[in-house]
Amino acid sequence: MNPFYQRARFVTAVAEMDRMPPDQGREVAFAGRSNAGKSSAINTICHRRQLARTSKTPGRTQQVVFFALDETRRLVDLPGYGYAKVSEAVKLQWQRLMASYLERRQSLAGLVVVMDIRHPLTAFDRQMLEWGRRAELELLLLLTKSDKLNRSAARAERERVAKAVAATGGRIRVELFSAQTRSGTEPVHRVLDRWLGVGD
């Protein structure tokens, strides 16, 4: 367990670009469908049980949430998409906010797209990957809940998804992950270390 990520602390939650922390240093954003286990993944990566709020009600994260790791590095939890029971107007507002954030945020060093291994590459997921590619971001695709499949089935699904996204271009890495067993945490830390310049 990399102790650096245990330093994560809540900074602010905002719904508008101009209310975000100063656009300096480096940050990595996490995006995913409302029931894909994004908050659980963030908590596992940071070895903190209640850092990102988890809920049985999908779509709980309705703002852009910033967590500081130190004075210059941050993790960012983007609004969950897909299942949230909100109006179409609110959904469009979230989409505009996420698109603006991904395209305009200069300190954004990479994007982690969280997908349930049993339901990957939905239309929403593909839209998020397209936004990331358009912003010329490095992308990590995290297949969560991998403990729900046996090992060989999980590996086969990872290969299938990796081939599917490789065909679309861009710099995309695919990893298996389970918040339940904590498997996949170290590979994620290695990617985050590189994106955030940890140890530089």
Side-chain angles (χ1 to χ4, degrees):
M1 178 67 210
N2 187 335
F4 177 73
Y5 295 96
Q6 289 181 270
R7 302 180 192 177
R9 59 179 177 81
F10 172 81
V11 176
T12 188
V14 301
E16 298 170 11
M17 285 288 294
D18 59 7
R19 292 175 178 260
M20 292 182 180
D23 193 357
Q24 56 197 31
R26 296 190 198 183
E27 63 195 30
V28 170
F30 288 73
R33 278 184 70 163
S34 300
N35 62 339
K38 176 168 54 73
S39 295
S40 295
I42 293 171
N43 289 338
T44 301
I45 289 162
C46 295
H47 202 61
R48 298 277 300 280
R49 199 175 238 175
Q50 297 294 331
L51 181 68
R53 294 187 307 172
T54 59
S55 173
K56 288 189 164 76
T57 305
R60 177 107 181 244
T61 305
Q62 298 181 12
Q63 296 175 302
V64 179
V65 183
F66 289 82
F67 303 102
L69 295 166
D70 61 17
E71 294 301 313
T72 62
R73 299 175 179 93
R74 296 171 298 278
L75 299 181
V76 184
D77 187 3
L78 297 178
Y81 52 85
Y83 277 156
K85 294 179 180 178
V86 296
S87 69
E88 286 302 314
V90 171
K91 285 182 182 178
L92 286 172
Q93 181 183 338
W94 291 356
Q95 289 177 0
R96 283 195 294 268
L97 176 63
M98 286 196 286
S100 295
Y101 169 79
L102 293 171
E103 291 169 6
R104 291 166 46 193
R105 190 76 173 170
Q106 295 298 306
S107 53
L108 184 57
L111 174 65
V112 181
V113 180
V114 178
M115 301 181 194
D116 185 329
I117 194 170
R118 300 165 299 178
H119 314 288
L121 295 176
T122 65
F124 294 104
D125 298 327
R126 291 178 186 276
Q127 176 68 73
M128 190 57 61
L129 291 170
E130 180 55 33
W131 278 338
R133 277 192 292 264
R134 200 178 303 159
E136 299 182 345
L137 293 169
E138 286 197 63
L139 294 156
L140 171 61
L141 203 164
L142 216 54
L143 297 177
T144 59
K145 307 183 185 182
S146 62
D147 57 286
K148 303 294 185 183
L149 302 182
N150 66 46
R151 195 169 293 179
S152 61
R155 281 200 298 259
E157 187 63 9
R158 178 189 173 280
E159 289 304 311
R160 186 189 74 79
V161 171
K163 282 181 183 176
V165 296
T168 63
R171 297 169 293 177
I172 305 176
R173 177 171 175 164
V174 182
E175 293 285 353
L176 298 174
F177 189 87
S178 169
Q180 195 72 28
T181 65
R182 299 188 178 275
S183 64
T185 305
E186 288 187 15
V188 174
H189 283 166
R190 286 194 292 270
V191 173
L192 296 184
D193 285 352
R194 181 166 58 82
W195 287 354
L196 293 169
V198 177
D200 286 358

